[in-house]
Amino acid sequence: MNFDYNETQLMIAQSIKEFAEKNIRPYIMEWDEAQIFPIPLFKELGAMGFMGVLVPEEYGGSGLGYHEYITIIEEISKVDPSIGLSVAAHNSLCTNHILTFGNEEQKKKWLPKLATAEYIGAWGLTEHNTGSDAGGMSTTAVKDGDHWIVNGAKNFITHAKSGDIAVVIVRTGEKGDSRGMTAFVFEKGMPGFTSGKKENKLGMRASETAELVFDNCRIPDANRLGNVGEGFIQSMKILDGGRISIGALSLGIAKGAYEAALKYSKERYQFGQPISNFQGISFKLADMATEIEASELLLHKAAFLKEQHKPVTTMGAMAKMYASEVCVKVANEAVQIHGGYGYTKDYPVEKFYRDSKLCTIGEGTTEIQKVVISRNLLKE
């Protein structure tokens, strides 16, 4: 088994590092404090092929695999996790849903524009009263000839305001019925399709999070993805890949925080020596490095299974759960190693600390991952 980066991964890592240092790092705190979603940056990332990573070349994408995808999200997130989050949501949720479940006409219509970031994509499952219990959604679509009339709202949606299209799962059957939901592609400008409240968040502040609102929105049946009633089942499959995304985001945060802490520990002198000489600090670093390594191995095993078209639900949940909890722990320890300076915005670990917590919540909480893992284990 070869654990080395392949040539493509090495090239991608170097490319994104250089891009991030030039185009992201100088603006991190400006974007964070003002909650600016930097759309021009994503257009540049699209031109580089990083907004259509998994999309085949025939649809204008990069045609890369999940190992390369992890590398891209990880490297961006080591600099600014909120940008990594938006790249992940665009690629693994909206774009991947159309790629996986769209018909040929739908793929040709939307994928080329998503892959180049001409369109920014959103994906809507969560509602105000349905987080982990997504099957209890209240947003409904009622058939009206060759159209559907949609009413309701989705919240905590990445790119809800700035997105050009959104894949949204709505109820077309009975509440709680796993076969009573259907996925549609909504386009900006459709009458009755608007955005609502933008969330003022603890972290990930440069990644836009807001509400999608549907008020008698009339959508053609041609915008339906797959068969009526398949939306929830589709979304669970999309979340399998999405968990690899959040795991990669978590890995980037953990590596970024660890590298900052390691550097600081060598430069910060107390009692006449660098604090890295003290066992209390060096043991923290040892634990951080080990858990990061374990996270990375879990993620790439999940990526391997995904690319081999083997069942990935359990391993994806394990990778997401472990990597996200590790990134919170590593970010916390990084702040501790920095001491008082870690609590200021002059050092990067303060932001890694705030950004990290989302990873244990988004695309399935840690508790939901344990439900997924345990259920699958007990089936065996």
Side-chain angles (χ1 to χ4, degrees), residues 58-172:
E58 64 184 290
Y59 302 116
S62 298
L64 298 172
Y66 271 85
H67 295 291
E68 291 78 15
Y69 179 56
I70 289 170
T71 301
I72 291 165
I73 301 302
E74 172 196 332
E75 290 295 338
I76 294 173
S77 303
K78 281 164 69 174
V79 177
D80 189 343
S82 57
I83 303 303
L85 173 62
S86 276
V87 173
H90 174 94
N91 274 282
S92 72
L93 298 179
C94 177
T95 304
N96 197 41
H97 200 135
I98 295 171
L99 174 63
T100 306
F101 295 106
N103 59 39
E104 194 62 25
E105 183 181 347
Q106 291 168 334
K107 290 178 186 179
K108 287 178 178 176
K109 180 178 181 180
W110 291 307
L111 288 179
K113 292 182 178 181
L114 286 165
T116 58
E118 179 182 342
Y119 281 0
I120 300 292
W123 191 80
L125 179 65
T126 300
E127 297 184 4
H128 294 272
N129 295 315
T130 60
S132 298
D133 180 20
M137 66 178 61
S138 297
T139 301
T140 58
V142 177
K143 193 82 187 301
D144 181 27
D146 58 356
H147 284 71
W148 296 78
I149 308 301
V150 183
N151 284 284
K154 300 285 179 177
N155 77 327
F156 296 135
I157 307 304
T158 306
H159 312 148
K161 283 187 175 292
S162 299
D164 299 283
I165 67 171
V167 174
V168 182
I169 295 85
V170 299
R171 186 161 59 83
T172 50

Side-chain angles (χ1 to χ4, degrees), residues 148-336:
W148 296 78
I149 308 301
V150 183
N151 284 284
K154 300 285 179 177
N155 77 327
F156 296 135
I157 307 304
T158 306
H159 312 148
K161 283 187 175 292
S162 299
D164 299 283
I165 67 171
V167 174
V168 182
I169 295 85
V170 299
R171 186 161 59 83
T172 50
E174 294 301 313
K175 184 174 285 194
D177 179 6
S178 65
R179 294 191 175 274
M181 290 157 275
T182 305
F184 293 89
V185 180
F186 292 81
E187 300 173 275
K188 182 179 277 188
M190 282 182 167
F193 175 48
T194 57
S195 58
K197 176 191 174 188
K198 180 177 177 179
E199 302 295 341
N200 188 10
K201 300 177 295 181
L202 169 72
M204 300 290 192
R205 290 169 61 82
S207 178
E208 179 185 276
T209 306
E211 184 182 45
L212 289 174
V213 180
F214 308 90
D215 182 9
N216 288 320
C217 178
R218 190 173 174 83
I219 186 169
D221 188 60
N223 284 38
R224 171 171 47 83
L225 293 172
N227 295 326
V228 173
E230 289 182 349
F232 185 75
I233 296 158
Q234 291 174 8
S235 66
M236 292 302 102
K237 291 178 180 176
I238 292 302
L239 285 172
D240 281 344
R243 286 166 184 154
I244 295 174
S245 284
I246 300 299
L249 174 65
S250 303
L251 180 64
I253 293 171
K255 284 189 175 183
Y258 165 75
E259 289 170 9
L262 180 65
K263 180 175 182 289
Y264 182 83
S265 74
K266 292 176 179 178
E267 296 172 350
R268 173 68 167 171
Y269 273 66
Q270 294 286 273
F271 308 102
Q273 57 186 311
I275 62 171
S276 58
N277 284 359
F278 298 111
Q279 192 177 81
I281 300 299
S282 65
F283 277 19
K284 286 183 187 295
L285 294 167
D287 285 340
M288 292 157 80
T290 302
E291 290 174 344
I292 288 169
E293 193 74 18
S295 299
E296 191 160 21
L297 290 170
L298 278 169
L299 274 170
H300 282 287
K301 182 170 183 182
F304 170 79
L305 293 174
K306 184 75 174 170
E307 292 194 346
Q308 295 296 312
H309 304 291
K310 294 181 178 179
V312 73
T313 301
T314 303
M315 186 55 59
M318 286 179 173
K320 191 272 183 188
M321 179 184 74
Y322 187 80
S324 64
E325 291 292 340
V326 163
C327 89
V328 172
K329 180 180 176 182
V330 168
N332 180 56
E333 292 287 42
V335 170
Q336 192 71 15

Side-chain angles (χ1 to χ4, degrees), residues 16-32 38 41 74-81 83 252 255-257 259-260 263 345-349 351-352:
I16 202 68
K17 277 179 186 176
E18 291 173 0
F19 178 87
E21 288 299 325
K22 180 182 177 183
N23 299 285
I24 298 176
R25 192 176 295 282
Y27 311 104
I28 290 173
M29 294 314 296
E30 175 189 342
W31 294 340
D32 181 77
L41 176 79
E74 172 196 332
E75 290 295 338
I76 294 173
S77 303
K78 281 164 69 174
V79 177
D80 189 343
I83 303 303
K255 284 189 175 183
E259 289 170 9
K263 180 175 182 289
K345 294 182 183 289
D346 295 328
Y347 287 79
V349 292
K351 185 174 181 297
F352 283 127

